Amino acid sequence: PMHFEAGQDSSMRVAGGMQAIVEALHDKLPEGTVKLSTKVTGVDLVGEDSNTSTDGKMMEIETKNEDGASVLVRLDGKNGKEEIKASHVIFALPPRLIVEGSIKVSPKFPKKISSALSALPTWMAPHAKFVAVYDEAFWRQAGLSGSGSSQFGVLGEIHEASPVEGKPALFGFLGISASERKRHGEEK
């Protein structure tokens, strides 16, 4: 269920946090479907009768397989290399990483499409997300919402991220480039 925090009319929260959505989806999947610590290394269009066409804006793939699977996904994980068949693949990573070779795709994208994907900026790339957990919601005690934004400095946005039960928290985005974050290291 969702709930609204007092004084934050535009802010909705999911009871149990966003992890509750992930867990609910996971619970509906067949056993062994989720592969942790596994990297997709390749995606191949397969089938006896498959063709690819493009109008320069969109790539259309048509396949005809008896088992309904038209894509072979190659994986490399803690259990070694494996292949699975699928009817669909959804890429959930920056488009430029797909065409730059992070995942080998066959057939290759047409030149116009790969150029367009390479040129797409990665949304929020120069930002790092943080969560700060406190013993008390000091901002509420001061009559503040816990939300803010700035065009100056490294702190671009802050929003309240307190759970329904538990310690109050704020989350936000630090506008520090990836190279600068790497230079400072990562807290373990």
Side-chain angles (χ1 to χ4, degrees):
M2 299 180 101
H3 74 278
F4 291 91
E5 288 290 328
Q8 295 190 8
D9 297 334
S10 64
S11 180
M12 292 187 289
R13 305 262 190 268
V14 175
M18 296 306 286
Q19 184 66 26
I21 294 174
V22 173
E23 289 168 358
L25 290 169
H26 178 266
D27 291 346
K28 294 185 182 295
L29 295 171
E31 185 73 28
T33 301
V34 176
K35 310 259 185 208
L36 301 176
S37 302
T38 302
K39 180 180 179 179
V40 174
T41 59
V43 176
D44 298 327
L45 178 63
V46 295
E48 297 148 10
D49 185 15
S50 57
N51 64 52
T52 307
S53 63
T54 181
D55 63 3
K57 296 178 186 168
M58 183 160 53
M59 188 163 146
E60 185 176 334
I61 301 171
E62 182 182 343
T63 64
K64 295 180 179 132
N65 265 6
E66 289 179 22
D67 63 2
S70 57
V71 180
L72 182 68
V73 182
R74 292 188 309 279
L75 307 170
D76 190 2
K78 59 185 174 187
N79 297 326
K81 296 180 186 297
E82 66 178 299
E83 295 179 342
I84 58 173
K85 289 184 179 180
S87 58
H88 296 83
V89 172
I90 298 171
F91 291 103
L93 68 159
R96 67 177 172 74
L97 295 180
I98 299 166
V99 296
E100 288 175 2
S102 291
I103 298 173
K104 301 293 183 218
V105 178
S106 177
K108 290 184 177 182
F109 291 108
K111 183 84 171 139
K112 278 187 177 181
I113 291 176
S114 60
S115 294
L117 293 174
S118 291
L120 284 174
T122 302
W123 181 72
M124 298 293 287
H127 294 81
K129 186 175 184 178
F130 74 90
V131 177
V133 180
Y134 299 94
D135 290 326
E136 296 182 34
F138 62 86
W139 56 93
R140 288 190 206 144
Q141 295 166 358
L144 300 172
S145 68
S147 294
S149 63
S150 174
Q151 297 294 319
F152 302 99
V154 297
L155 191 56
E157 292 181 38
I158 279 187
H159 304 280
E160 182 162 355
S162 301
V164 176
E165 296 179 18
K167 292 190 172 197
L170 298 172
F171 90 90
F173 298 101
L174 299 171
I176 303 172
S177 70
S179 60
E180 187 68 15
R181 289 193 309 267
K182 187 175 184 177
R183 189 172 73 78
H184 288 287
E186 190 175 307
E187 183 178 308
K188 300 286 180 195

